[in-house]
Amino acid sequence: FYNVTPEKNDVWKVISCYDSDIRSNSWDMNYNTDTVYEDWLHEIRNKSLWKNDISPKLEDKIVTLSTCNNNSWDNRFVVHGILSEN
């Protein structure tokens, strides 16, 4: 997907998308160690409804987008993307 601003046009590659409860760790931003962050990256990739071969690294920029879904008030559809170099 694209994020277009007056300054630049970013291209993001989807690495994960899934339904999530609002109490999940899908939106976590603070990690005590690199290992905890790597575990989170692995977790979001494993629960993705769409599989691909993109493997994010610690230094990659990740964006998380979410929107309501029709399943219940407490559920969201979550999409994680990685900033593409292209």
Side-chain angles (χ1 to χ4, degrees):
F1 57 91
Y2 300 91
N3 182 36
V4 179
T5 68
E7 293 78 31
K8 61 183 177 172
N9 300 330
D10 289 332
V11 177
W12 297 84
K13 294 180 180 178
V14 174
I15 58 170
S16 182
C17 54
Y18 53 91
D19 287 310
S20 183
D21 184 274
I22 61 172
R23 293 168 290 277
S24 80
N25 67 348
S26 298
W27 300 270
D28 284 357
M29 294 177 55
N30 298 312
Y31 306 92
N32 296 333
T33 66
D34 287 349
T35 302
V36 173
Y37 182 60
E38 286 175 326
D39 289 346
W40 179 80
L41 289 172
H42 183 72
E43 179 182 340
I44 65 169
R45 299 266 297 125
N46 280 341
K47 60 183 167 182
S48 182
L49 300 171
W50 177 70
K51 305 297 183 190
N52 61 52
D53 60 354
I54 302 171
S55 296
K57 298 180 239 21
L58 287 173
E59 62 272 9
D60 289 330
K61 292 184 180 179
I62 306 291
V63 66
T64 300
L65 307 171
S66 65
T67 188
C68 299
N69 66 24
N70 294 330
N71 293 337
S72 80
W73 180 258
D74 292 342
N75 283 18
R76 303 290 183 268
F77 189 75
V78 180
V79 176
H80 300 283
I82 185 172
L83 185 60
S84 176
E85 296 297 322
N86 301 338

